[in-house]
Amino acid sequence: STYCFFDKSRCWVQPDRKTEYILAHEQRHFDISCIGLRLFIQRLSASKFTMDNYNSLLDSIYYECYDDMNKLQEQYDNETKNGQLKEKQAEWIRKIDGQLAAFAEIKCLL
């Protein structure tokens, strides 16, 4: 099975800066990870695995999805200036919510 998780030990939000707004920005990073996971599941389902291509195809799909997810994470932080640009942040919230909704039929553990 596949699932998304959050590693609290890697969170860098300083305790005195934990506001609802900042936590909402960080939540979207988790949501982008969930989008990446669902894309991975979708691509796996659409693939034609054989005994000969299983390992290479699985690796290829994994690394493509991982790379796409990381690029989206970077784009999100760059365009919102790490959440400082409130209008851009609002645009990204709508974009991320739309992508999650589009993948809603893909089941994974969250």
Side-chain angles (χ1 to χ4, degrees):
S1 77
T2 56
Y3 59 93
C4 278
F5 68 94
F6 179 76
D7 183 355
K8 285 200 256 183
S9 69
R10 299 190 72 204
C11 182
W12 59 268
V13 176
Q14 297 172 3
D16 63 326
R17 301 229 19 196
K18 286 184 182 176
T19 66
E20 289 294 320
Y21 182 81
I22 290 172
L23 292 176
H25 173 82
E26 295 305 315
Q27 173 66 48
R28 295 307 187 224
H29 280 293
F30 179 79
D31 293 344
I32 290 170
S33 296
C34 291
I35 291 166
L37 172 61
R38 288 180 168 140
L39 183 59
F40 177 65
I41 293 168
Q42 183 182 59
R43 288 183 184 171
L44 287 177
S45 297
S47 296
K48 304 292 184 214
F49 287 99
T50 67
M51 293 297 289
D52 292 332
N53 75 4
Y54 181 81
N55 287 332
S56 62
L57 187 55
L58 181 61
D59 284 350
S60 174
I61 293 168
Y62 173 80
Y63 288 112
E64 284 175 16
C65 291
Y66 187 75
D67 188 49
D68 289 346
M69 181 208 53
N70 282 328
K71 286 177 184 173
L72 194 59
Q73 296 279 12
E74 283 184 38
Q75 184 183 4
Y76 171 54
D77 269 342
N78 288 339
E79 289 184 14
T80 65
K81 294 220 188 286
N82 296 311
Q84 294 177 34
L85 301 177
K86 293 188 187 239
E87 284 184 29
K88 281 291 189 184
Q89 181 67 38
E91 286 176 26
W92 269 91
I93 287 171
R94 288 189 295 275
K95 178 180 179 175
I96 292 167
D97 287 350
Q99 288 182 357
L100 284 172
F103 284 120
E105 75 283 354
I106 298 173
K107 301 298 180 214
C108 56
L109 302 173
L110 300 176

mmCIF file of all heavy atoms in Angstrom, residues 73-96:
data_model
loop_
_atom_site.group_PDB
_atom_site.id
_atom_site.type_symbol
_atom_site.label_atom_id
_atom_site.label_comp_id
_atom_site.label_asym_id
_atom_site.label_seq_id
_atom_site.Cartn_x
_atom_site.Cartn_y
_atom_site.Cartn_z
ATOM 1 N N GLN A 73 6.867 21.564 -5.510
ATOM 2 C CA GLN A 73 7.158 22.129 -4.182
ATOM 3 C C GLN A 73 7.997 23.406 -4.316
ATOM 4 O O GLN A 73 7.706 24.420 -3.668
ATOM 5 C CB GLN A 73 7.927 21.106 -3.320
ATOM 6 C CG GLN A 73 7.184 19.846 -2.991
ATOM 7 C CD GLN A 73 6.212 19.974 -1.835
ATOM 8 O OE1 GLN A 73 5.889 21.058 -1.367
ATOM 9 N NE2 GLN A 73 5.724 18.833 -1.380
ATOM 10 N N GLU A 74 9.018 23.352 -5.143
ATOM 11 C CA GLU A 74 9.877 24.527 -5.359
ATOM 12 C C GLU A 74 9.106 25.677 -5.994
ATOM 13 O O GLU A 74 9.249 26.830 -5.590
ATOM 14 C CB GLU A 74 11.067 24.164 -6.240
ATOM 15 C CG GLU A 74 12.158 23.414 -5.530
ATOM 16 C CD GLU A 74 13.358 23.161 -6.439
ATOM 17 O OE1 GLU A 74 13.701 24.040 -7.252
ATOM 18 O OE2 GLU A 74 13.938 22.072 -6.328
ATOM 19 N N GLN A 75 8.316 25.354 -6.997
ATOM 20 C CA GLN A 75 7.520 26.383 -7.677
ATOM 21 C C GLN A 75 6.562 27.048 -6.688
ATOM 22 O O GLN A 75 6.404 28.270 -6.688
ATOM 23 C CB GLN A 75 6.747 25.758 -8.840
ATOM 24 C CG GLN A 75 5.965 26.757 -9.659
ATOM 25 C CD GLN A 75 5.153 26.092 -10.766
ATOM 26 O OE1 GLN A 75 5.108 24.864 -10.878
ATOM 27 N NE2 GLN A 75 4.499 26.908 -11.559
ATOM 28 N N TYR A 76 5.942 26.232 -5.850
ATOM 29 C CA TYR A 76 5.025 26.748 -4.831
ATOM 30 C C TYR A 76 5.728 27.745 -3.914
ATOM 31 O O TYR A 76 5.248 28.864 -3.709
ATOM 32 C CB TYR A 76 4.467 25.561 -4.045
ATOM 33 C CG TYR A 76 3.663 25.891 -2.815
ATOM 34 C CD1 TYR A 76 2.572 26.751 -2.865
ATOM 35 C CD2 TYR A 76 3.983 25.320 -1.589
ATOM 36 C CE1 TYR A 76 1.823 27.031 -1.737
ATOM 37 C CE2 TYR A 76 3.245 25.585 -0.456
ATOM 38 C CZ TYR A 76 2.164 26.439 -0.530
ATOM 39 O OH TYR A 76 1.421 26.707 0.592
ATOM 40 N N ASP A 77 6.870 27.365 -3.364
ATOM 41 C CA ASP A 77 7.594 28.279 -2.476
ATOM 42 C C ASP A 77 8.121 29.504 -3.218
ATOM 43 O O ASP A 77 8.074 30.620 -2.693
ATOM 44 C CB ASP A 77 8.745 27.556 -1.775
ATOM 45 C CG ASP A 77 8.336 26.950 -0.450
ATOM 46 O OD1 ASP A 77 7.294 27.351 0.106
ATOM 47 O OD2 ASP A 77 9.071 26.073 0.038
ATOM 48 N N ASN A 78 8.623 29.318 -4.436
ATOM 49 C CA ASN A 78 9.137 30.454 -5.202
ATOM 50 C C ASN A 78 8.044 31.459 -5.535
ATOM 51 O O ASN A 78 8.235 32.662 -5.355
ATOM 52 C CB ASN A 78 9.814 29.976 -6.485
ATOM 53 C CG ASN A 78 11.132 29.286 -6.229
ATOM 54 O OD1 ASN A 78 11.757 29.466 -5.192
ATOM 55 N ND2 ASN A 78 11.561 28.467 -7.180
ATOM 56 N N GLU A 79 6.918 30.969 -6.021
ATOM 57 C CA GLU A 79 5.848 31.883 -6.449
ATOM 58 C C GLU A 79 5.147 32.556 -5.279
ATOM 59 O O GLU A 79 4.629 33.659 -5.422
ATOM 60 C CB GLU A 79 4.840 31.147 -7.325
ATOM 61 C CG GLU A 79 5.404 30.812 -8.689
ATOM 62 C CD GLU A 79 4.392 30.175 -9.622
ATOM 63 O OE1 GLU A 79 3.170 30.214 -9.335
ATOM 64 O OE2 GLU A 79 4.829 29.637 -10.660
ATOM 65 N N THR A 80 5.112 31.902 -4.124
ATOM 66 C CA THR A 80 4.471 32.507 -2.951
ATOM 67 C C THR A 80 5.486 33.190 -2.037
ATOM 68 O O THR A 80 5.103 33.760 -1.025
ATOM 69 C CB THR A 80 3.714 31.446 -2.122
ATOM 70 O OG1 THR A 80 4.648 30.511 -1.579
ATOM 71 C CG2 THR A 80 2.641 30.745 -2.934
ATOM 72 N N LYS A 81 6.758 33.114 -2.423
ATOM 73 C CA LYS A 81 7.854 33.589 -1.557
ATOM 74 C C LYS A 81 7.695 32.990 -0.160
ATOM 75 O O LYS A 81 7.640 33.698 0.843
ATOM 76 C CB LYS A 81 7.919 35.109 -1.513
ATOM 77 C CG LYS A 81 8.300 35.743 -2.828
ATOM 78 C CD LYS A 81 9.237 36.888 -2.623
ATOM 79 C CE LYS A 81 9.494 37.661 -3.880
ATOM 80 N NZ LYS A 81 10.327 37.060 -4.857
ATOM 81 N N ASN A 82 7.603 31.649 -0.148
ATOM 82 C CA ASN A 82 7.427 30.882 1.088
ATOM 83 C C ASN A 82 6.190 31.320 1.880
ATOM 84 O O ASN A 82 6.188 31.320 3.107
ATOM 85 C CB ASN A 82 8.673 30.946 1.962
ATOM 86 C CG ASN A 82 9.853 30.299 1.295
ATOM 87 O OD1 ASN A 82 9.756 29.186 0.794
ATOM 88 N ND2 ASN A 82 10.966 31.003 1.245
ATOM 89 N N GLY A 83 5.146 31.670 1.135
ATOM 90 C CA GLY A 83 3.879 32.042 1.757
ATOM 91 C C GLY A 83 3.738 33.516 2.078
ATOM 92 O O GLY A 83 2.695 33.938 2.574
ATOM 93 N N GLN A 84 4.744 34.320 1.788
ATOM 94 C CA GLN A 84 4.696 35.736 2.137
ATOM 95 C C GLN A 84 3.764 36.543 1.233
ATOM 96 O O GLN A 84 3.256 37.591 1.643
ATOM 97 C CB GLN A 84 6.101 36.337 2.088
ATOM 98 C CG GLN A 84 7.019 35.762 3.141
ATOM 99 C CD GLN A 84 8.426 36.316 3.013
ATOM 100 O OE1 GLN A 84 8.631 37.468 2.650
ATOM 101 N NE2 GLN A 84 9.405 35.477 3.296
ATOM 102 N N LEU A 85 3.571 36.076 -0.008
ATOM 103 C CA LEU A 85 2.693 36.788 -0.952
ATOM 104 C C LEU A 85 1.280 36.228 -0.828
ATOM 105 O O LEU A 85 0.957 35.175 -1.373
ATOM 106 C CB LEU A 85 3.217 36.644 -2.383
ATOM 107 C CG LEU A 85 4.632 37.157 -2.637
ATOM 108 C CD1 LEU A 85 5.055 36.877 -4.075
ATOM 109 C CD2 LEU A 85 4.716 38.649 -2.331
ATOM 110 N N LYS A 86 0.435 36.934 -0.108
ATOM 111 C CA LYS A 86 -0.887 36.407 0.247
ATOM 112 C C LYS A 86 -1.766 36.125 -0.961
ATOM 113 O O LYS A 86 -2.492 35.128 -0.975
ATOM 114 C CB LYS A 86 -1.575 37.345 1.226
ATOM 115 C CG LYS A 86 -0.843 37.360 2.556
ATOM 116 C CD LYS A 86 -1.595 38.117 3.615
ATOM 117 C CE LYS A 86 -0.711 38.226 4.821
ATOM 118 N NZ LYS A 86 -1.158 37.691 6.013
ATOM 119 N N GLU A 87 -1.728 36.975 -1.980
ATOM 120 C CA GLU A 87 -2.546 36.718 -3.174
ATOM 121 C C GLU A 87 -2.069 35.468 -3.897
ATOM 122 O O GLU A 87 -2.869 34.649 -4.349
ATOM 123 C CB GLU A 87 -2.525 37.920 -4.119
ATOM 124 C CG GLU A 87 -3.397 39.064 -3.655
ATOM 125 C CD GLU A 87 -3.434 40.202 -4.657
ATOM 126 O OE1 GLU A 87 -3.277 39.956 -5.878
ATOM 127 O OE2 GLU A 87 -3.627 41.347 -4.218
ATOM 128 N N LYS A 88 -0.770 35.312 -4.046
ATOM 129 C CA LYS A 88 -0.207 34.115 -4.688
ATOM 130 C C LYS A 88 -0.513 32.874 -3.847
ATOM 131 O O LYS A 88 -0.794 31.811 -4.386
ATOM 132 C CB LYS A 88 1.301 34.250 -4.894
ATOM 133 C CG LYS A 88 1.668 35.089 -6.072
ATOM 134 C CD LYS A 88 1.278 34.350 -7.341
ATOM 135 C CE LYS A 88 1.814 35.045 -8.559
ATOM 136 N NZ LYS A 88 1.369 34.386 -9.783
ATOM 137 N N GLN A 89 -0.437 33.020 -2.532
ATOM 138 C CA GLN A 89 -0.760 31.904 -1.647
ATOM 139 C C GLN A 89 -2.209 31.466 -1.873
ATOM 140 O O GLN A 89 -2.486 30.273 -1.991
ATOM 141 C CB GLN A 89 -0.540 32.289 -0.186
ATOM 142 C CG GLN A 89 -0.832 31.177 0.806
ATOM 143 C CD GLN A 89 0.126 30.020 0.716
ATOM 144 O OE1 GLN A 89 1.316 30.190 0.495
ATOM 145 N NE2 GLN A 89 -0.380 28.814 0.886
ATOM 146 N N ALA A 90 -3.109 32.415 -1.974
ATOM 147 C CA ALA A 90 -4.521 32.092 -2.207
ATOM 148 C C ALA A 90 -4.701 31.395 -3.561
ATOM 149 O O ALA A 90 -5.493 30.444 -3.673
ATOM 150 C CB ALA A 90 -5.368 33.358 -2.142
ATOM 151 N N GLU A 91 -3.974 31.852 -4.583
ATOM 152 C CA GLU A 91 -4.038 31.199 -5.897
ATOM 153 C C GLU A 91 -3.564 29.755 -5.802
ATOM 154 O O GLU A 91 -4.173 28.860 -6.378
ATOM 155 C CB GLU A 91 -3.148 31.935 -6.912
ATOM 156 C CG GLU A 91 -3.689 33.245 -7.390
ATOM 157 C CD GLU A 91 -2.695 33.959 -8.308
ATOM 158 O OE1 GLU A 91 -1.855 33.290 -8.957
ATOM 159 O OE2 GLU A 91 -2.755 35.203 -8.357
ATOM 160 N N TRP A 92 -2.478 29.531 -5.092
ATOM 161 C CA TRP A 92 -1.934 28.178 -4.951
ATOM 162 C C TRP A 92 -2.868 27.278 -4.147
ATOM 163 O O TRP A 92 -2.991 26.092 -4.446
ATOM 164 C CB TRP A 92 -0.543 28.229 -4.341
ATOM 165 C CG TRP A 92 0.500 28.313 -5.396
ATOM 166 C CD1 TRP A 92 1.036 29.444 -5.942
ATOM 167 C CD2 TRP A 92 1.115 27.213 -6.079
ATOM 168 N NE1 TRP A 92 1.948 29.110 -6.906
ATOM 169 C CE2 TRP A 92 2.018 27.744 -7.012
ATOM 170 C CE3 TRP A 92 0.991 25.839 -5.983
ATOM 171 C CZ2 TRP A 92 2.792 26.951 -7.848
ATOM 172 C CZ3 TRP A 92 1.765 25.037 -6.803
ATOM 173 C CH2 TRP A 92 2.645 25.594 -7.728
ATOM 174 N N ILE A 93 -3.518 27.836 -3.140
ATOM 175 C CA ILE A 93 -4.480 27.033 -2.373
ATOM 176 C C ILE A 93 -5.570 26.521 -3.315
ATOM 177 O O ILE A 93 -5.924 25.336 -3.283
ATOM 178 C CB ILE A 93 -5.074 27.847 -1.205
ATOM 179 C CG1 ILE A 93 -4.005 28.018 -0.114
ATOM 180 C CG2 ILE A 93 -6.333 27.180 -0.649
ATOM 181 C CD1 ILE A 93 -4.404 28.969 0.986
ATOM 182 N N ARG A 94 -6.087 27.396 -4.162
ATOM 183 C CA ARG A 94 -7.123 26.976 -5.131
ATOM 184 C C ARG A 94 -6.565 25.937 -6.105
ATOM 185 O O ARG A 94 -7.216 24.936 -6.411
ATOM 186 C CB ARG A 94 -7.677 28.182 -5.879
ATOM 187 C CG ARG A 94 -8.563 29.080 -5.015
ATOM 188 C CD ARG A 94 -9.267 30.154 -5.829
ATOM 189 N NE ARG A 94 -8.344 31.104 -6.430
ATOM 190 C CZ ARG A 94 -7.855 32.177 -5.811
ATOM 191 N NH1 ARG A 94 -8.179 32.431 -4.562
ATOM 192 N NH2 ARG A 94 -7.042 32.998 -6.437
ATOM 193 N N LYS A 95 -5.355 26.163 -6.587
ATOM 194 C CA LYS A 95 -4.732 25.238 -7.531
ATOM 195 C C LYS A 95 -4.523 23.857 -6.906
ATOM 196 O O LYS A 95 -4.861 22.831 -7.511
ATOM 197 C CB LYS A 95 -3.384 25.821 -7.991
ATOM 198 C CG LYS A 95 -2.591 24.950 -8.929
ATOM 199 C CD LYS A 95 -1.284 25.644 -9.314
ATOM 200 C CE LYS A 95 -0.453 24.793 -10.237
ATOM 201 N NZ LYS A 95 0.749 25.484 -10.704
ATOM 202 N N ILE A 96 -3.984 23.832 -5.709
ATOM 203 C CA ILE A 96 -3.715 22.566 -5.026
ATOM 204 C C ILE A 96 -5.027 21.850 -4.705
ATOM 205 O O ILE A 96 -5.152 20.641 -4.930
ATOM 206 C CB ILE A 96 -2.863 22.798 -3.760
ATOM 207 C CG1 ILE A 96 -1.455 23.253 -4.165
ATOM 208 C CG2 ILE A 96 -2.816 21.551 -2.887
ATOM 209 C CD1 ILE A 96 -0.619 23.801 -3.016
#
